[in-house]
Amino acid sequence: MTAKGRRRLGALAVLLFAITAAVGTTARAADSVEAEALIREGISLRRSGNDARALPLFQKANEIARTPRTAAQLGLVEFALGYAIDAEHHLEQGLAAPTDPWIGKNRKVLDEALAGVKMMIGELTITGSPEGAEVTVNTRPVGRLPLPAAVRLGQGQAIVELKATGFLPRTTTVEILGGKPVIVDMPLAPDPAKVARAAAPSTVALNPIVGDQLADNAGAGRSVSTRTVVGWAMIAAGAAALVAGGVWLLRSGEPCNTMPGFECASTAPNRTGGWILFGAGAATALGGGIVLLTRPRTEVAAAIGLDSILLRSSF
Protein backbone atom coordinates (compact mmCIF):
# COMPACT_ATOMS: atom_id res chain seq x y z
CA MET A 1 0.00 0.00 0.00
CA THR A 2 1.26 3.44 -0.97
CA ALA A 3 1.87 6.24 1.50
CA LYS A 4 -1.08 8.09 0.05
CA GLY A 5 -3.36 5.08 0.71
CA ARG A 6 -2.15 4.78 4.28
CA ARG A 7 -2.87 8.44 4.87
CA ARG A 8 -6.40 7.96 3.56
CA LEU A 9 -6.97 4.99 5.89
CA GLY A 10 -5.66 6.97 8.84
CA ALA A 11 -7.93 9.87 8.02
CA LEU A 12 -10.89 7.49 7.73
CA ALA A 13 -10.11 5.94 11.13
CA VAL A 14 -9.92 9.36 12.74
CA LEU A 15 -13.22 10.30 11.14
CA LEU A 16 -14.90 7.11 12.41
CA PHE A 17 -13.55 7.69 15.93
CA ALA A 18 -14.84 11.25 15.86
CA ILE A 19 -18.26 10.09 14.70
CA THR A 20 -18.39 7.41 17.41
CA ALA A 21 -17.35 9.86 20.08
CA ALA A 22 -19.92 12.33 18.87
CA VAL A 23 -22.63 9.71 18.93
CA GLY A 24 -21.58 8.61 22.43
CA THR A 25 -21.53 12.17 23.62
CA THR A 26 -24.94 12.78 22.13
CA ALA A 27 -26.29 9.62 23.76
CA ARG A 28 -24.82 10.57 27.12
CA ALA A 29 -26.22 14.03 26.77
CA ALA A 30 -29.64 12.57 25.99
CA ASP A 31 -29.35 10.26 29.02
CA SER A 32 -28.36 13.20 31.20
CA VAL A 33 -31.35 15.18 29.98
CA GLU A 34 -33.72 12.27 30.70
CA ALA A 35 -32.14 11.61 34.09
CA GLU A 36 -32.38 15.30 34.96
CA ALA A 37 -36.06 15.33 34.03
CA LEU A 38 -36.67 12.28 36.24
CA ILE A 39 -34.83 13.87 39.15
CA ARG A 40 -36.81 17.09 38.85
CA GLU A 41 -40.08 15.16 38.79
CA GLY A 42 -38.95 13.08 41.76
CA ILE A 43 -38.00 16.16 43.77
CA SER A 44 -41.40 17.68 43.04
CA LEU A 45 -43.12 14.54 44.34
CA ARG A 46 -40.97 14.50 47.47
CA ARG A 47 -41.81 18.12 48.26
CA SER A 48 -45.48 17.17 48.13
CA GLY A 49 -44.84 14.23 50.51
CA ASN A 50 -44.99 11.44 47.92
CA ASP A 51 -41.68 9.73 48.64
CA ALA A 52 -43.03 6.31 47.61
CA ARG A 53 -44.02 7.59 44.14
CA ALA A 54 -40.71 9.42 43.80
CA LEU A 55 -38.59 6.29 44.51
CA PRO A 56 -38.96 4.55 41.10
CA LEU A 57 -38.13 7.85 39.34
CA PHE A 58 -34.84 8.19 41.20
CA GLN A 59 -34.08 4.51 40.64
CA LYS A 60 -34.54 4.91 36.88
CA ALA A 61 -32.48 8.12 36.83
CA ASN A 62 -29.62 6.32 38.58
CA GLU A 63 -29.81 3.42 36.12
CA ILE A 64 -29.60 5.83 33.17
CA ALA A 65 -26.93 8.29 34.32
CA ARG A 66 -24.94 6.54 37.08
CA THR A 67 -23.58 9.76 38.52
CA PRO A 68 -22.73 10.67 42.13
CA ARG A 69 -25.72 12.99 42.14
CA THR A 70 -28.25 10.34 41.02
CA ALA A 71 -26.87 7.86 43.57
CA ALA A 72 -27.04 10.38 46.40
CA GLN A 73 -30.55 11.52 45.45
CA LEU A 74 -31.68 7.88 45.42
CA GLY A 75 -30.06 7.33 48.86
CA LEU A 76 -31.95 10.31 50.29
CA VAL A 77 -35.37 9.06 49.23
CA GLU A 78 -34.53 5.53 50.45
CA PHE A 79 -33.55 7.05 53.80
CA ALA A 80 -36.90 8.81 53.98
CA LEU A 81 -38.74 5.54 53.26
CA GLY A 82 -36.74 3.56 55.87
CA TYR A 83 -34.72 1.40 53.46
CA ALA A 84 -31.60 1.81 55.56
CA ILE A 85 -29.29 -0.74 53.90
CA ASP A 86 -29.96 0.52 50.36
CA ALA A 87 -29.79 4.15 51.51
CA GLU A 88 -26.39 3.55 53.13
CA HIS A 89 -25.04 2.00 49.93
CA HIS A 90 -26.19 4.80 47.62
CA LEU A 91 -25.22 7.66 49.96
CA GLU A 92 -21.71 6.22 50.37
CA GLN A 93 -21.54 5.78 46.59
CA GLY A 94 -22.35 9.47 46.08
CA LEU A 95 -20.00 10.68 48.82
CA ALA A 96 -17.17 8.63 47.29
CA ALA A 97 -16.84 11.43 44.66
CA PRO A 98 -15.93 14.51 46.77
CA THR A 99 -14.83 16.48 43.70
CA ASP A 100 -18.26 16.36 42.13
CA PRO A 101 -19.73 19.91 42.24
CA TRP A 102 -23.17 18.81 43.39
CA ILE A 103 -21.74 16.50 46.07
CA GLY A 104 -19.44 19.28 47.33
CA LYS A 105 -22.32 21.72 47.53
CA ASN A 106 -24.57 19.34 49.49
CA ARG A 107 -21.97 17.35 51.44
CA LYS A 108 -23.13 18.49 54.89
CA VAL A 109 -26.69 17.35 54.23
CA LEU A 110 -25.48 14.04 52.79
CA ASP A 111 -23.14 13.39 55.74
CA GLU A 112 -25.97 13.99 58.20
CA ALA A 113 -28.26 11.69 56.22
CA LEU A 114 -25.63 8.93 56.20
CA ALA A 115 -25.14 9.27 59.98
CA GLY A 116 -28.90 8.98 60.44
CA VAL A 117 -29.00 5.91 58.21
CA LYS A 118 -26.29 4.16 60.22
CA MET A 119 -28.31 4.72 63.39
CA MET A 120 -31.14 2.78 61.74
CA ILE A 121 -28.97 -0.28 61.03
CA GLY A 122 -28.41 -3.13 63.48
CA GLU A 123 -26.21 -6.23 63.29
CA LEU A 124 -27.74 -9.69 63.68
CA THR A 125 -25.40 -12.53 64.65
CA ILE A 126 -26.90 -15.95 63.88
CA THR A 127 -25.50 -19.11 65.45
CA GLY A 128 -26.80 -22.66 65.68
CA SER A 129 -26.37 -26.17 64.33
CA PRO A 130 -25.78 -28.25 62.31
CA GLU A 131 -22.91 -26.87 60.34
CA GLY A 132 -23.96 -26.15 56.78
CA ALA A 133 -27.58 -25.27 57.63
CA GLU A 134 -29.05 -22.77 55.18
CA VAL A 135 -29.86 -19.37 56.71
CA THR A 136 -32.60 -17.12 55.35
CA VAL A 137 -33.45 -13.65 56.65
CA ASN A 138 -36.69 -12.04 55.51
CA THR A 139 -36.92 -14.71 52.74
CA ARG A 140 -33.44 -13.70 51.46
CA PRO A 141 -30.65 -16.35 51.64
CA VAL A 142 -27.66 -14.98 53.55
CA GLY A 143 -25.39 -18.06 53.62
CA ARG A 144 -24.81 -21.26 55.57
CA LEU A 145 -23.71 -21.91 59.17
CA PRO A 146 -21.34 -20.81 60.43
CA LEU A 147 -21.87 -17.36 58.90
CA PRO A 148 -18.61 -15.44 58.39
CA ALA A 149 -20.05 -12.19 59.77
CA ALA A 150 -23.12 -10.61 61.28
CA VAL A 151 -26.04 -9.74 58.99
CA ARG A 152 -26.67 -5.98 58.76
CA LEU A 153 -30.35 -5.11 58.76
CA GLY A 154 -32.56 -2.09 59.08
CA GLN A 155 -34.33 -1.67 62.41
CA GLY A 156 -37.60 -3.52 62.87
CA GLN A 157 -38.66 -7.16 62.90
CA ALA A 158 -36.62 -9.76 61.02
CA ILE A 159 -37.74 -13.33 60.27
CA VAL A 160 -34.88 -15.82 60.48
CA GLU A 161 -35.23 -19.35 59.11
CA LEU A 162 -32.81 -22.31 59.27
CA LYS A 163 -33.05 -25.45 57.13
CA ALA A 164 -30.88 -28.57 56.91
CA THR A 165 -31.36 -32.06 55.51
CA GLY A 166 -32.37 -34.53 58.23
CA PHE A 167 -33.44 -31.79 60.66
CA LEU A 168 -36.69 -30.02 61.42
CA PRO A 169 -36.73 -26.45 60.00
CA ARG A 170 -36.90 -23.63 62.50
CA THR A 171 -38.17 -20.08 62.20
CA THR A 172 -37.95 -17.23 64.68
CA THR A 173 -38.68 -13.51 64.68
CA VAL A 174 -36.22 -11.07 66.23
CA GLU A 175 -36.37 -7.32 66.81
CA ILE A 176 -33.52 -5.41 65.20
CA LEU A 177 -32.47 -2.28 67.06
CA GLY A 178 -30.67 0.50 65.20
CA GLY A 179 -27.02 0.80 66.14
CA LYS A 180 -27.12 -2.29 68.43
CA PRO A 181 -26.01 -5.90 67.93
CA VAL A 182 -28.49 -8.77 68.33
CA ILE A 183 -27.55 -12.45 68.76
CA VAL A 184 -29.86 -15.41 68.08
CA ASP A 185 -28.92 -19.07 68.62
CA MET A 186 -30.98 -21.60 66.63
CA PRO A 187 -29.89 -25.25 67.00
CA LEU A 188 -32.02 -27.54 64.84
CA ALA A 189 -33.62 -30.72 66.18
CA PRO A 190 -33.27 -33.99 64.19
CA ASP A 191 -36.30 -34.97 62.12
CA PRO A 192 -37.82 -38.04 63.92
CA ALA A 193 -39.26 -39.45 60.68
CA LYS A 194 -35.91 -39.39 58.90
CA VAL A 195 -34.10 -40.77 61.95
CA ALA A 196 -36.55 -43.70 62.08
CA ARG A 197 -36.05 -44.42 58.39
CA ALA A 198 -32.29 -44.33 58.82
CA ALA A 199 -32.50 -46.77 61.76
CA ALA A 200 -34.73 -49.25 59.92
CA PRO A 201 -32.90 -52.43 58.72
CA SER A 202 -32.01 -52.28 55.09
CA THR A 203 -32.28 -55.12 52.59
CA VAL A 204 -28.85 -56.52 51.80
CA ALA A 205 -28.28 -58.30 48.51
CA LEU A 206 -26.59 -61.64 49.23
CA ASN A 207 -24.07 -63.40 47.08
CA PRO A 208 -25.95 -66.07 45.08
CA ILE A 209 -23.73 -68.83 46.47
CA VAL A 210 -24.33 -67.69 50.06
CA GLY A 211 -28.05 -67.39 49.38
CA ASP A 212 -28.20 -70.94 48.03
CA GLN A 213 -26.26 -72.19 51.02
CA LEU A 214 -28.66 -70.49 53.42
CA ALA A 215 -31.62 -71.98 51.57
CA ASP A 216 -30.07 -75.47 51.73
CA ASN A 217 -29.35 -75.07 55.43
CA ALA A 218 -32.88 -73.87 56.11
CA GLY A 219 -34.26 -76.87 54.19
CA ALA A 220 -31.96 -79.20 56.06
CA GLY A 221 -33.18 -77.70 59.33
CA ARG A 222 -36.79 -78.45 58.39
CA SER A 223 -35.99 -82.06 57.38
CA VAL A 224 -33.90 -82.68 60.48
CA SER A 225 -36.70 -81.36 62.63
CA THR A 226 -39.11 -83.87 61.05
CA ARG A 227 -36.70 -86.78 61.63
CA THR A 228 -36.34 -85.76 65.25
CA VAL A 229 -40.08 -85.83 65.77
CA VAL A 230 -40.41 -89.21 64.00
CA GLY A 231 -37.53 -90.72 65.99
CA TRP A 232 -38.92 -89.71 69.36
CA ALA A 233 -42.42 -90.79 68.32
CA MET A 234 -41.10 -94.24 67.39
CA ILE A 235 -39.27 -94.53 70.71
CA ALA A 236 -42.43 -93.54 72.60
CA ALA A 237 -44.58 -96.03 70.64
CA GLY A 238 -42.00 -98.77 71.10
CA ALA A 239 -41.83 -98.13 74.83
CA ALA A 240 -45.62 -98.35 75.09
CA ALA A 241 -45.60 -101.62 73.16
CA LEU A 242 -42.86 -103.00 75.40
CA VAL A 243 -44.88 -102.15 78.51
CA ALA A 244 -48.05 -103.67 77.05
CA GLY A 245 -46.19 -106.82 75.98
CA GLY A 246 -44.54 -107.19 79.38
CA VAL A 247 -47.87 -106.87 81.17
CA TRP A 248 -49.35 -109.46 78.77
CA LEU A 249 -46.57 -111.93 79.52
CA LEU A 250 -46.85 -111.39 83.27
CA ARG A 251 -50.61 -111.90 83.27
CA SER A 252 -50.47 -114.98 81.03
CA GLY A 253 -48.92 -117.13 83.75
CA GLU A 254 -51.55 -116.47 86.45
CA PRO A 255 -53.98 -119.34 87.24
CA CYS A 256 -57.72 -118.87 86.93
CA ASN A 257 -58.97 -118.39 90.51
CA THR A 258 -62.66 -119.05 90.73
CA MET A 259 -64.92 -117.33 93.16
CA PRO A 260 -67.23 -119.32 95.40
CA GLY A 261 -70.31 -120.43 93.49
CA PHE A 262 -68.79 -119.63 90.08
CA GLU A 263 -66.71 -121.55 87.63
CA CYS A 264 -63.68 -120.12 85.93
CA ALA A 265 -65.16 -118.22 83.01
CA SER A 266 -61.89 -118.03 80.97
CA THR A 267 -58.64 -119.78 80.50
CA ALA A 268 -55.25 -118.31 81.07
CA PRO A 269 -54.34 -115.98 78.17
CA ASN A 270 -51.86 -117.16 75.54
CA ARG A 271 -48.30 -115.80 75.80
CA THR A 272 -47.96 -115.36 72.00
CA GLY A 273 -49.63 -111.94 71.88
CA GLY A 274 -47.39 -110.65 74.67
CA TRP A 275 -44.24 -111.71 72.86
CA ILE A 276 -45.48 -110.06 69.65
CA LEU A 277 -46.15 -106.78 71.43
CA PHE A 278 -42.84 -106.98 73.27
CA GLY A 279 -40.84 -107.68 70.11
CA ALA A 280 -42.63 -105.01 68.04
CA GLY A 281 -42.12 -102.45 70.80
CA ALA A 282 -38.41 -103.25 71.04
CA ALA A 283 -38.02 -103.03 67.25
CA THR A 284 -39.92 -99.76 67.10
CA ALA A 285 -37.94 -98.19 69.92
CA LEU A 286 -34.67 -99.38 68.35
CA GLY A 287 -35.73 -97.90 65.00
CA GLY A 288 -36.50 -94.57 66.65
CA GLY A 289 -33.10 -94.57 68.31
CA ILE A 290 -31.43 -95.27 64.96
CA VAL A 291 -33.34 -92.33 63.38
CA LEU A 292 -32.11 -90.01 66.12
CA LEU A 293 -28.53 -91.26 66.03
CA THR A 294 -28.25 -91.00 62.25
CA ARG A 295 -29.39 -87.37 62.09
CA PRO A 296 -26.95 -85.01 60.21
CA ARG A 297 -24.83 -82.48 62.09
CA THR A 298 -27.12 -79.61 61.19
CA GLU A 299 -29.52 -81.01 63.80
CA VAL A 300 -27.57 -78.90 66.31
CA ALA A 301 -28.27 -75.74 64.32
CA ALA A 302 -31.92 -76.74 63.90
CA ALA A 303 -32.25 -77.18 67.62
CA ILE A 304 -30.81 -73.70 68.27
CA GLY A 305 -32.88 -72.04 65.52
CA LEU A 306 -32.55 -70.58 62.08
CA ASP A 307 -30.50 -67.62 63.38
CA SER A 308 -27.75 -70.06 64.31
CA ILE A 309 -27.75 -71.48 60.76
CA LEU A 310 -27.44 -67.99 59.26
CA LEU A 311 -24.64 -67.04 61.62
CA ARG A 312 -22.65 -70.21 60.90
CA SER A 313 -23.14 -69.85 57.15
CA SER A 314 -21.57 -66.38 57.14
CA PHE A 315 -18.12 -67.74 57.92
Side-chain angles (χ1 to χ4, degrees):
M1 181 181 293
T2 62
K4 185 177 181 180
R6 287 195 294 271
R7 284 195 298 271
R8 285 181 178 178
L9 286 176
L12 180 59
V14 172
L15 179 60
L16 290 174
F17 177 79
I19 292 173
T20 302
V23 171
T25 301
T26 303
R28 285 194 297 272
D31 290 342
S32 297
V33 171
E34 184 180 0
E36 184 63 28
L38 291 169
I39 290 174
R40 289 180 183 276
E41 184 179 356
I43 291 174
S44 176
L45 288 172
R46 290 203 63 197
R47 285 174 178 172
S48 62
N50 292 322
D51 290 326
R53 290 181 57 191
L55 177 61
L57 300 179
F58 286 108
Q59 289 174 332
K60 187 174 181 180
N62 189 51
E63 291 175 1
I64 294 173
R66 297 287 181 182
T67 65
R69 181 190 177 194
T70 58
Q73 288 279 17
L74 178 56
L76 289 172
V77 70
E78 288 170 337
F79 175 34
L81 291 171
Y83 303 142
I85 299 297
D86 293 335
E88 180 188 48
H89 170 70
H90 290 119
L91 286 171
E92 288 180 343
Q93 188 177 13
L95 288 168
T99 59
D100 182 87
W102 190 89
I103 296 295
K105 180 181 178 181
N106 299 280
R107 186 171 189 87
K108 182 178 180 182
V109 175
L110 296 175
D111 285 336
E112 291 176 354
L114 182 59
V117 166
K118 290 186 178 296
M119 291 300 297
M120 296 171 57
I121 296 175
E123 291 189 347
L124 175 61
T125 300
I126 303 170
T127 61
S129 61
E131 184 175 339
E134 181 182 355
V135 185
T136 302
V137 179
N138 294 333
T139 70
R140 181 175 63 91
V142 296
R144 295 181 179 273
L145 293 179
L147 295 178
V151 181
R152 302 180 76 248
L153 299 167
Q155 61 186 4
Q157 288 188 341
I159 301 175
V160 183
E161 184 177 8
L162 260 65
K163 292 181 180 180
T165 302
F167 293 82
L168 294 174
R170 183 174 177 181
T171 302
T172 188
T173 301
V174 296
E175 189 72 24
I176 304 300
L177 304 175
K180 295 183 180 179
V182 179
I183 301 175
V184 59
D185 184 43
M186 299 176 62
L188 298 183
D191 188 342
K194 294 184 178 179
V195 171
R197 284 196 295 269
S202 58
T203 303
V204 179
L206 296 176
N207 185 290
I209 298 176
V210 176
D212 294 341
Q213 182 180 358
L214 293 178
D216 292 341
N217 287 339
R222 287 191 295 270
S223 64
V224 168
S225 178
T226 301
R227 293 184 64 179
T228 301
V229 173
V230 171
W232 282 113
M234 290 177 66
I235 291 176
L242 283 171
V243 172
V247 172
W248 186 306
L249 293 175
L250 291 174
R251 293 290 303 274
S252 65
E254 294 179 359
C256 180
N257 298 319
T258 62
M259 295 180 67
F262 295 91
E263 294 181 359
C264 188
S266 62
T267 61
N270 195 327
R271 290 175 174 267
T272 303
W275 285 113
I276 292 174
L277 283 174
F278 193 87
T284 303
L286 179 61
I290 293 173
V291 170
L292 293 178
L293 292 175
T294 57
R295 291 175 298 172
R297 293 182 179 181
T298 50
E299 173 62 14
V300 177
I304 297 174
L306 185 57
D307 290 341
S308 176
I309 296 177
L310 293 175
L311 180 60
R312 189 178 64 185
S313 300
S314 63
F315 292 90

